[in-house]
Each structure stands twice: as structure tokens, then as C-alpha cells.
Amino acid sequence: MVRIVCLAIGYLFGLFQTAYFYGRAHGIDIREHGSGNAGTTNTLRVLGTKAGLIVFAGDCIKCMAAVWLVRLIFGNTYHSIIYLLCLYTGAGAILGHNYPFYLKFKGGKGIAATAGMVLSFHPWFILTGVLLFFVPFFTLHYVSLGSLLVYAGLMIQLVAFGQNGFFSEMTQGQLIEMYIVFGCLLVMAYWKHRENIKRLLQGKERKTYLTKKNKVESEETGQAAAATDEGKVN
């Protein structure tokens, strides 16, 4: 029962769609622009770096807040499985972010919310997440690649730590449950990024920058698409 409660708490926090509300405050529905995704990357491309950072912070903090609340409520009573409960809470927040019921279940891809979960889970996992995301991002400028590597790396680290006594108070059955929960999040992340994966394999994935270059590339992409359409008509 406590697991369901944690999942529900996370989902409620995850429903705060930062990109959607920020976009509305600026007169647009972010889901009708760019990639149509209500998340950090699309906001950054459509509304600029400042907007993207604000959305990232909001989506990250909402997940952290949910996990902190669960720690506060259940930390003493369920101390032995608190990491498992935090993972359920994070999963709920990611689900709420990806599939908000009041937006017809059209949200984001959950990466910023995942960052919030990692930041509030345990310090050892933060370094892994930071390295696996930012090294490929600043090298190749693919947000999707960094996001996918983060999930794969954290899955490996979680199992490695768990099987080597890092979560010493948890039973093997509880550890396996934790692996399954995170494994489900991994599968969902890869599913949400399936088109990105296809474009990465084809060498067609769009790059993202923390500069005005995003706008330039967006304009060039639009011009190229228009030229293609004109060629088809002719």
C-alpha cells in the first residue's frame, strides 16, 4: 500500500507541467511548436536558453520535492526500504510529467524529472548522471544521446551497488523490485525516445546548443523543409 501512496504522491507532483505553464505565460502552447514535446529541450529551442533552464529547474525540483516529502513522511517508519520508496515516488513524478491526465496525457519525456530523482536519491548517483549526460552533450550536442546514456549507466550502477551491499538493509527480493522499477523507467525512456534513436542511427538527429545557434538551426531547418515541399510541388 505504501508503494502505491508514494507512486501517487510522485504523480501529483509530476502533473506540474513547467513547460506548458511557462509557454502559456508567454502566449503559446509549447506542444504546438517545435517537436511538440512539453519539456526542456523543446522549450530551449522555441523560447530560448533562459526559458529552457527555467523549465529544467521546475521539472527537476518537482520530482525532488516529491521525494523529499516521502522521506519526511516515511523515512522513520520504512527506513529499511526508503530507497525503494524514493524510486517509486520518482517513477510517479516521471509518469505525471510524461502523461498528465489534464493535458490528454501529452507531456514530456521525463529526463529533467529523472534528474530530480537522481539528485534526491543518493550523492553517488549524481556524478554518474552528470558525466554520462554532459560529456556527450557538450561533445556532440545531442540531448537524446546523453539522456539514453544516463538511463543505461544508472541501471548498471544501481544493480552493481545493490549486489555489492550498498543498500545493506534491503532484502534480495526488495533489491530485485528496485531493479524492476528502474528497468521500467528505462524502457519508458527509450520508448519515448524511439524517434530520436532512429534519427541518431541515421545521422539525422538535431543538435542542441545553449546559445542562439538553436534559433539559427531552426530557421535553416524550416527553410530546408520549405524548399523540399516546393520541390515536391514543382
Side-chain angles (χ1 to χ4, degrees), residues 85-229:
L85 297 184
C86 288
L87 198 54
Y88 269 105
T89 307
I94 294 168
L95 284 170
H97 174 80
N98 290 357
Y99 304 104
F101 72 89
Y102 65 96
L103 294 179
K104 297 181 180 179
F105 301 99
K106 186 180 179 182
K109 294 182 179 178
I111 300 304
T114 299
M117 180 179 70
V118 173
L119 288 171
S120 55
F121 187 72
H122 193 281
W124 277 106
F125 288 80
I126 298 174
L127 180 60
T128 301
V130 169
L131 289 176
L132 288 176
F133 180 82
F134 285 105
V135 170
F137 173 69
F138 285 119
T139 303
L140 301 172
H141 302 287
Y142 292 129
V143 172
S144 57
L145 179 61
S147 303
L148 296 169
L149 288 175
V150 165
Y151 260 101
L154 290 175
M155 183 78 232
I156 294 171
Q157 183 179 15
L158 186 67
V159 174
F161 275 37
Q163 295 308 116
N164 285 280
F166 187 81
F167 307 103
S168 57
E169 295 186 29
M170 296 176 63
T171 66
Q172 184 61 33
Q174 291 166 345
L175 287 173
I176 292 174
E177 182 182 356
M178 187 160 63
Y179 306 153
I180 291 173
V181 173
F182 194 84
C184 290
L185 292 178
L186 183 149
V187 170
M188 181 170 65
Y190 275 67
W191 172 255
K192 295 286 285 186
H193 285 82
R194 61 192 183 280
E195 294 300 324
N196 302 89
I197 295 172
K198 186 186 300 183
R199 289 193 295 270
L200 283 168
L201 294 174
Q202 295 172 343
K204 298 179 180 179
E205 177 69 328
R206 180 180 172 183
K207 295 185 177 184
T208 301
Y209 303 87
L210 296 178
T211 64
K212 292 182 179 180
K213 192 171 182 179
N214 278 313
K215 184 176 181 180
V216 173
E217 285 207 346
S218 179
E219 292 174 349
E220 291 176 347
T221 301
Q223 291 170 0
T228 301
D229 290 341

